[in-house]
Amino acid sequence: MDKFIIKGGRRLTGNVVISGAKNAAVAILPAVILSDEPCVIENVPNISDVNICLKILREMGATVENLGKDVYRIDPTGIDKVCVPYETARKMRASYYFLGALLGKFNKARVSMPGGCPLGDRPIDQHLKAFSILGAEYTLSQGMIDLKADKLRGNQIFFDVVTVGATMNAMLAAVKAEGLTVIENAAKEPHIVDLANFLNSMGANIMGAGTDVIKIRGVKHLHGTNYSVIPDQIEAGTFMIAAAATKGDIIVENIIPKHLESITKKLEKIGVNIEQYDDSMRVWVDGPLVKANVKTTPHPGFPTDMQPQIATLLILAEGTSIVTEGVWEQRFRYVDELRRMGADITVNGKVALIEGTGKLMGAPVKACDLRAGAALIIAGLAANGITEIEDIFHIERGYDCMEGKLRALGADIEKISVPDNKTAETDNSRAAV
Ligand code: EPZ
């Protein structure tokens, strides 16, 4: 079991380069299945969710070659299995993208129900609804989802909730379906646009991604492509907040500032200085931080995946802040850990009241999910004393070499390995988030 040990109190200064977006990469890699030729994907983040995706592709019969640090050549022509078993699917929520990609290519798929629910109820009813509307039948048995269709036909899909995963899965399944598919009430996140751009670069005909109506005219064949994944807006936002929490001064490189608008605006309100350039941003603090109210909503609103990080920053600000979670049922499980570090936070359902005490103290804490882990790192960097963070496998699912990047900015953070006496228990807890 690995842990992070952080000695808090150091200002972050210098430059950090943001990696490719996790939530785009975990959809684009399965989408390669739809191609009739090899694809080269660049700016692929080195995170465990991506490694699981690549493992699944290899196990299905694809040839995966690493051409350099973050570049992969994937040849899907050898794929001869359409199954993602429980053992791999449970480790990564996004394994559900194999459903859409396999269905779109082979008219059938067999994928284990994705595991783990640390953010509350995480149904996939909208994914299944979209597949049905396109002509697939599904059965659920023994924890496996089986999909099959004689033929997929374009149709009108209206989502009952704005959902990133189901929007992407509908795109994957519809891209080669006969005729026109119209997705209404679609999600608009940058990774939706990235998946559409990737599929279009293979010859797909997708219009409107980034708006709430996406139109897809099915094509017969998709060809190989060379594509670079967009930068990770959440990794960028996390480093921006880490800089602010330590009253630092950093340049965040390899970003698309437009994707960070809601984060930038909120941080400016809190008292963080931000100067934007074409593909980078300077972030620094030279005065007091002040309270703010934050409500998470689907894009272009403030992202839920930044909620634990901004809540942590608000502990260090003057005044009482209110943070409201508007996407997930339970995204305040990390608050107990922050309380161990001296935070004064009251949670009532989806609303947290944060008293800005202005300080945190180091403590042993545990990451309960990916972004909760990122919040604990920020807290540890700003705290007096030493913070030990356990269960950092959650963090490594979505942050590419976080401790290395932080060390380069001057943080005192190290990763240590400690003997794991509870292998079975720990392994069971490694379900997806
Ligand atoms: C994606 O999850 C991200 N994961 C999450 O990031 C992110 O928090 C979330 O989108 C919202 O932005 C990946 O991209 C792999 P949703 P997803 O479908 O697609 C409800 C992180 O930290 N819903 O947009 O699973 C659902 O319960 C992770 O990087 C249904 O009711 O989220 C939720 O309340 C965590 N039925 C809301 O919609 C469905 O069939 C939004 O979920 C699907 C979703």
Side-chain angles (χ1 to χ4, degrees):
M1 189 177 60
D2 293 338
K3 277 185 183 183
F4 284 142
I5 311 286
I6 303 173
K7 205 183 277 173
R10 293 209 183 181
R11 280 181 79 225
L12 298 189
T13 54
N15 295 34
V16 61
V17 179
I18 299 307
S19 301
K22 165 178 97 80
N23 289 344
V26 296
I28 286 173
L29 294 172
V32 171
I33 293 172
L34 290 156
S35 170
D36 296 327
E37 292 168 351
C39 296
V40 174
I41 316 291
E42 297 171 17
N43 207 29
V44 178
N46 182 10
I47 54 176
S48 61
D49 270 12
V50 157
N51 294 333
I52 294 167
C53 271
L54 295 172
K55 181 169 183 270
I56 294 173
L57 286 166
R58 282 193 186 99
E59 283 174 359
M60 285 176 167
T63 307
V64 178
E65 287 169 81
N66 184 203
L67 303 184
K69 194 177 148 283
D70 54 7
V71 185
Y72 288 87
R73 180 179 186 276
I74 303 168
D75 181 351
T77 54
I79 291 181
D80 56 3
K81 294 186 198 72
V82 295
C83 179
V84 183
Y86 171 69
E87 269 316 302
T88 25
R90 78 190 177 97
K91 292 184 183 148
M92 185 187 63
R93 182 79 197 165
S95 52
Y96 50 44
Y97 291 130
F98 284 92
L99 281 169
L102 288 167
L103 181 67
K105 176 73 177 256
F106 300 108
N107 283 357
K108 58 183 177 183
R110 181 170 165 76
V111 177
S112 172
M113 285 285 279
C117 275
L119 308 178
D121 199 16
R122 296 188 72 173
I124 56 161
D125 58 304
Q126 299 298 306
H127 301 238
L128 298 176
K129 170 178 152 172
F131 299 143
S132 297
I133 291 174
L134 294 172
E137 284 177 10
Y138 65 86
T139 50
L140 304 173
S141 102
Q142 294 285 303
M144 299 296 288
I145 306 162
D146 274 288
L147 289 172
K148 64 173 192 298
D150 291 335
K151 188 175 193 154
L152 294 169
R153 288 197 175 80
N155 207 338
Q156 192 106 354
I157 302 167
F158 186 93
F159 286 123
D160 304 331
V161 287
V162 178
T163 144
V164 170
T167 302
M168 304 250 236
N169 247 337
M171 286 161 65
L172 294 170
V175 75
K176 294 182 77 182
E178 188 181 278
L180 181 70
T181 297
V182 180
I183 304 173
E184 289 183 73
N185 201 22
K188 300 183 282 224
E189 270 65 6
H191 26 291
I192 306 270
V193 181
D194 208 35
L195 177 64
N197 288 342
F198 170 66
L199 292 168
N200 283 342
S201 77
M202 296 199 294
N205 185 350
I206 304 177
M207 291 153 291
T211 75
D212 55 9
V213 181
I214 301 177
K215 293 188 179 163
I216 304 166
R217 194 163 289 282
V219 295
K220 284 214 161 63
H221 299 289
L222 292 172
H223 54 73
T225 184
N226 201 322
Y227 191 82
S228 182
V229 176
I230 51 165
D232 196 308
Q233 60 168 154
I234 305 300
E235 188 196 7
T238 302
F239 275 96
M240 290 165 77
I241 291 187
T246 61
K247 298 215 178 289
D249 187 348
I250 68 168
I251 306 271
V252 186
E253 295 178 5
N254 185 35
I255 55 164
I256 299 174
K258 178 80 188 153
H259 292 171
L260 290 159
E261 242 169 26
S262 62
I263 301 169
T264 306
K265 284 204 179 104
K266 198 52 84 176
L267 289 181
E268 283 175 337
K269 217 164 170 204
I270 294 171
V272 180
N273 302 302
I274 295 173
E275 209 166 80
Q276 297 189 25
Y277 314 110
D278 289 348
D279 60 0
S280 62
M281 227 177 235
R282 178 179 169 210
V283 182
W284 77 105
V285 168
D286 55 10
L289 299 174
V290 293
K291 66 174 181 167
N293 294 340
V294 180
K295 177 165 184 190
T296 67
T297 54
H299 192 80
F302 191 89
T304 173
D305 296 345
M306 286 299 300
Q307 184 258 93
Q309 301 91 313
I310 200 148
T312 304
L313 183 66
L314 290 169
I315 301 167
L316 304 167
E318 289 169 6
T320 306
S321 301
I322 300 171
V323 174
T324 308
E325 173 57 39
V327 176
W328 295 111
E329 255 173 45
Q330 288 174 25
R331 208 167 196 176
F332 287 119
R333 290 166 73 236
Y334 64 90
V335 162
D336 281 341
E337 303 299 306
L338 287 177
R339 284 197 191 111
R340 294 168 52 73
M341 300 180 72
D344 181 352
I345 304 180
T346 313
V347 177
N348 190 350
K350 291 180 161 192
V351 181
L353 202 71
I354 302 172
E355 297 297 343
T357 51
K359 59 180 190 312
L360 285 163
M361 300 169 297
V365 288
K366 212 175 198 169
C368 61
D369 66 52
L370 167 59
R371 308 303 172 188
L376 293 176
I377 290 184
I378 293 167
L381 294 171
N384 288 325
I386 293 178
T387 298
E388 277 188 39
I389 307 179
E390 265 185 47
D391 285 356
I392 62 169
F393 64 87
H394 285 298
I395 300 168
E396 293 176 337
R397 285 190 36 237
Y399 288 93
D400 185 347
C401 192
M402 182 116 178
E403 77 281 10
K405 290 183 183 184
L406 285 169
R407 256 201 312 275
L409 293 171
D412 187 339
I413 176 169
E414 62 171 327
K415 180 158 120 179
I416 59 158
S417 286
V418 285
D420 185 3
N421 299 324
K422 315 178 287 176
T423 314
E425 191 190 318
T426 309
D427 196 43
N428 280 338
S429 70
R430 288 184 181 218
V433 286

